[in-house]
Structure formats: structure tokens, C-alpha cells
Amino acid sequence: MIGVEKASKKKAFNIDAPYHVTGQTKYLDDVPELQGTLYAKVFYSPIAHGHIQHIDASKAAALVGVVRIFSNKDIPGENQVGGIIPDEPLLAEKEVHFIGQPILLVVAETEEIAIKALQLIEVEIEPKEVIVDPRQAFYNESLLSKSRTFNIGDTDKAFDNCKYVFEGTTESGGQEHVYLEPQGAYAIPQNRGSMLIHSSTQGPTAVQRTCARILGVPMNQVEVDVNRIGGGFGGKEDQASPWAAMVALAAYLLQKPVKYILERKEDLQMTGKRHPYKSEYKIGLNEDLRIIAYKATFFQNGGAAADLSPAVLERTLFHATNSYAIPNVNVTAHCCKTHLPPNTAFRGFGGPQGMFVIESAIHRAARELNVSVVELQEKNLMADGLELPYGQIVEECQAQKCWHQSKSNFDFKQATQEIEIFNQNNRYLKKGIALMPVCFGISFTNTPMNNARALVHVYSDGSVGISTGAVEMGQGVSTKMIQIAAQGFGVEADKIKLENTNTTRVANTSPSAASATADLNGKALQDATRQIVERLNVVVLEELKIEKDADIQLKNEWVYVNGVQSDLPWKDLVQKAFLKRVNLSAKGHYSTPRIHFDKTKEKGHPFAYHVYGTAILTTTVDCLRGNYEFDSVRLVHDFGASMNTAIDLGQIEGGLVQGMGWMTLEDVVYNEKGELKSNSLATYKVPDYYTAPKEIDVQFLETEGNEMAILKSKAVGEPPLMYGIGAYFAIANAILAFNPKATIPYSAPMTTEKVLLALYS
Ligand code: LUZ
Ligand code: MOS
């Protein structure tokens, strides 16, 4: 195996790296196609809201090479793909609710023919009123789910006792996932009416459940297989399911393999994105600049169906106070139904949207009071013992430690002075600096989802096969699973084979999401390896004829007794166990202990633990053009005891830059007709080599690490995205250095156009 053997001796390696750089990694489109495979394409609604009057697909159906055109009427099961709330048809019935909503499914002998067929389909849709603004939807009482309020203390009374009170509004934009591999699936009919589906999904079980529902068959008739996917970022947590359901439907009815991988343009048009939010806040401080009261209302733009919006909404409330200790908090969120594609999970899952509002409120308050933002943030940082608005008591808090280490290790004071001097000496170039603290809760906020399983086989030659519910999407979870199994058996990583994620080996999985995948699946895997090791230990006692209370250890592919190497290597031990008919397979299970949440009271202990960190971001703004660059981002992050520094560092850098993109460049634009104007990667700008910070310096906060984290290595997927929020405020501070009277709009993304307008406001 390339590269794996030597690298695995280190704590910083990625088993996929050699295959990525040599182009050998296998994605959905690399699954070899069977002879007779057909290709599907969706015909979707050209308007955002309306009543379907008439559909004529006869010309398309007559085209040579078109096999069938399916509508909702062909669905043998239920025409429903809604995950949380059943409010989303797979194929439209009488009404359409967004541009890009699937109406018909064309199946043809080639993709080219399917594309031609789409152009021959005629529809008449009577247009209805289109709403794209979440506030307008709210005032029309157009909601996707129940509004929620988290409350602690008595906020209204507390405002009366505040010396300073400020109110304002903010907004944050959507964000396109831009996973490198678009959505897609390949369905292959199997024995006795069952179906195998290769899917580019974060949630194999979600795909299985949705396909079974569409086909009207039990879940055991649908097998979903995922080797790895080319990025997800939340976009494939639930929104991979419809495409799988479509190919499953066609494959089931035609009894032929059917494949559909979306083109980028289709993917941009038809799939949901990060939720745009409009928000209102009220913040109250006492004489000592302690934040005493905070009130906020969040209007979430959910799009045309619920999808994961109610869960995203919940996490906005959980993270509404970010890293701050505020005794009186009252925050309300509304899940607003608009005529956009249903918005969905995106790294951070509503948390970033909530944090942007409190950071805006603090920035605004500091400005009004003419004190430094940093001072205000610092004065209000949380600490152990704090009761969070949702009832969880803060433990092992690293917020202050990260903050102060960040300031001292990166010499914040000197950096600030240098910036002041630079700004004095430059008229049209101004630098800005901002600190961004992050506190992010780890666990699915929906408690029942926090469980996982793993299947382990030790083969008679001493090699090991492992299966878990984790989906590799570039985040490095495969490497982490291999590390855990290798450590569990005391063998080298090259002895471990990680199997595809498959619903027949590991069932009822939660999606790979919520930063919790390595924790949940890793702990399940440890449970399985532990069971096998316990059985092997009995064999060791018999073979080596030693005392029952001897300390047996498996390491370096050898058996150690009381710390001394025995004459029994791993390979022989396994062989002996096999001959003694010992069970060398095990199924492991894990469900996060301690967590609970009562939605009727909106109180509980929903998170296994929190992840902390503080970033310092520095930018230079060109005050003639409104352009900006990021000079540096320096941060201290609480990894716990990182089990793989290369992978974890990659997650920090990627998350940070993705968050900065959301705050600065990435502008999802829909017009009032619900048309996506940023509908290609030419009009939607993601960060690149030139726009990424010139320097990223990540320091590891050395801590014990939390027992609830796998090998005490804390979850790292989502928390760093929120460091990117600091980008907004670094730019705002540079603008204020140019024009102290500038109006800061607290409207993200801070595109160069907005910067220019603010500079001269
Ligand atoms: N998905 C989910 C998530 O279903 N529940 C969550 O709490 C969550 N958090 C972050 C990302 N995805
Ligand atoms: Mo996610 S936003 O962890 O799929």
C-alpha cells in the first residue's frame, strides 16, 4: 500500500492522500457502469410559485432513445421526501413552490438524449404570488414549523435596569456548498425486487429510508453503499436523498440500472443552501460594561419546504450567545416559508447565523459607547459554572484560556499598535483587526440521533476489516477510524481495511454531520474492538498459561504480559483463537451518555461537550476601490488531545476559509421572482488562493481533552467555520479607521460593493 505503512507510525497522516494526489480515489462516477445503464434528468419548474395547468411531454417521449418519462403518478409508494416534516414531494403534483422544483423525470439511453428531451417538454403554470423575504413570509403567517424561544432570567425587567441599551437589525446571506462532486446516485436492481443504490450522501440511512418510502417497500429491500464522497458540508445530509429516490424509482419500474449525476448548473439551481437570516437584537449593558440582557428575533429563510430547517433553527438559538456569559436572554426564531429551494444543513448548522448577530450587537454597542470591541468581548466571556440559556451548565470551559493565549501568544497589543501606525501613515489603505471567540456545542441537538454502530472482523491471517456508519467526505474520518482500530488491536494501520459505508453492514445510522461523526462511530468501533480483545485475552491466558490477573496488552503486533514481550505475536494469537473456534467478529454500539433535552421546557443538557477557540484576523482595505485582503489569521484552538494533527489542522484551515468566504465574497442572489442570479461559479465567488489569508497560524491549546471525545480528541469539523465571522468585523474596523462616521450595515457578506458604500457613507 502506498505511503500508509510508514505514515501510520506518526500522529499526522491521511490514508487517502497518496490516492488523491495520484488520482486513484474512487467517487460515485468511478463506479463501473453496467451494460444497459440508463441516464436520468430532471425537468424542473421554471417559475417560483404556481399552479400546474398542463404538461405535454409527448414530443419528448417520442424522441428516439428516450425510454420513459415519469411523473408523480408513477410513484408506487408515497410521493414524499421530507425528512423532519412530510411537506416535500419528490415530483411536483398540482403546485410548484420554487424554481428548480422537480416535475418530471426523463430516462434515456444517453445523457445527451435526456437533455434534448427536456427541451421538448411543454408546461403551462399559472403564476401565483412569490415571496422571497423571510420577514414578509412571517407577516403572512407562512411558517414551516413552530417558532421557538429560549429564555433565561427576566430579560424585559433586566433592560429596565441597564445603563445602556442598543437595538438594531442584521442580516446574513446564504451560502452555496460547492462540494467538488455534485449530487448524484446510481441505482441497480437486485434479486427479488430489491435495490442497490450508490449515492453521494452524508446520510446512507436517510437515502435508504427515502427510497423505501418512494418505492413503497420496506427498508430492508434497499441497500445503500457509499465509498466516499467529494465533499458534503451539510449539503448532502438530507438533500442527497431525492436524487437517489429518482434513480431508484426509474430502476425499480424499468428493472434496469439508472444513473444521475447532476451538472453543476442543475445542482446550483435545484438544491438548497445555507439559510439566509434577517435578525433583530436588543442588547443591554450595565455601568461596568457587563452585558446584562440580550434579546433577539431570528427570521430564517427556510425556502419552500422544511428539510432540516427546524433543526437548523434550533442550533441558532443554542449558539445565540456564542462565548458570552449573559444572565438574561430571550431569543426567538421563526422558520419562514419562502419560494426558494429548501435551504438545508451547512457547516455550523444555524450556529454561525446566531453568532453573527451577537457579534454585531457587541460591535455596535462598543462603537456607541466609544470603547474597544475587544474590551467589551473580553469582559463578557463565559466561564465554568455558567448556566446557558438552554439550561446546560458550562464545564471545562476554555473560552478565557483561548482568548488570553491568543492575545498573548500572537502579541495582540503590538499588532494593534502597528496597525494604528500604519493607518496614520496611509490615507487610502487602512488595516483592521478583530478577535473572534467561538464556543460550539458537540452532539446532534436532536438527542436520539446521537448513536452509532460498527462491525469488525478479524480475519484468520491477522488482518482486520472494519465498517462504520461514518461517511468520508474529505474530513479524514476514514483515517481516524483506521487509527482507532489499529490502536484497539495494537497493530499497524496497514493491517486495517476500512470497508465502504453500507446500510447492510451498519444499519440505522445518523448522517455524518454535527461534527460528531468521529466521536460517535469511533466510540462504537472501540466497543467492537474491545469485545474481540476480551475474547483474545482468554486465549492468551490459556496459551501462555499465566495468572488471570496478569496485565495483558496488545501492542506492536505482539502480546505483552505485565509489560514484557511474550513469545506470542498477534498473528499467531489470532490463528490460535480461530482454531479454538473463538468469535473473531463483533458489532459495537455507542450512544452518547448524559445528554438530554426537553423541548417543552427548552431546557436540558444537549451537548456532550463544547469546543472553544479564539481567532485574530487582520485585513487591509483599499479605500479607493473597496477591495480587501486578509493579512493574517492567527488562532488558538481547543483540540483537546488531537489524535491526528494533520487532519485536524486541515479542518481548521478549511473551515476558517469557508467561513470567511461566507462573510465576504460569497453572495447568493435571488431576485424578487425567486430566480437565482448567482447561478454559476462565474457569478458566485468562493475563496481561492488569492483571497485566502496570506498567513494562517494555528496554535493547539494543550488540554486534557474531554472523555466524551474520541481518544480525548475533540470534534473539529464545524467550530472553525465561525472564526470566519471575524472577517466581517476586521473589515468594519478598517472602514472605521478611514471614516469614523461610517455606517456599518451589519449585513453579510461584506462584498467590495458594500465596503465601498460604507467607506463613503
Ligand atoms: N445535523 C443535525 C446537524 O441533524 N442536527 C444537528 O444538530 C446538526 N448540527 C450540526 C450539523 N448538522
Ligand atoms: Mo452538517 S452542517 O454537520 O451536515
Side-chain angles (χ1 to χ4, degrees), residues 28 169 181 257 356 371 374-375 395-396 454 504 686:
L28 173 64
T169 62
E181 176 191 39
F356 179 67
V371 298
V374 174
E375 184 192 336
E395 298 165 12
E396 296 183 31
T504 68
V686 287

Side-chain angles (χ1 to χ4, degrees), residues 177 202 232-238 274 308 312 344-350 440 444 473 511-517 717-718:
H177 301 86
Q202 291 172 247
F233 308 115
K236 296 170 182 170
E237 184 175 332
D238 253 28
R274 182 188 293 286
L308 289 164
V312 171
T344 194
F346 196 131
R347 206 171 190 174
F349 205 74
F440 195 78
F444 287 96
M473 57 188 115
S512 287
S515 306
T517 309
E718 294 171 292

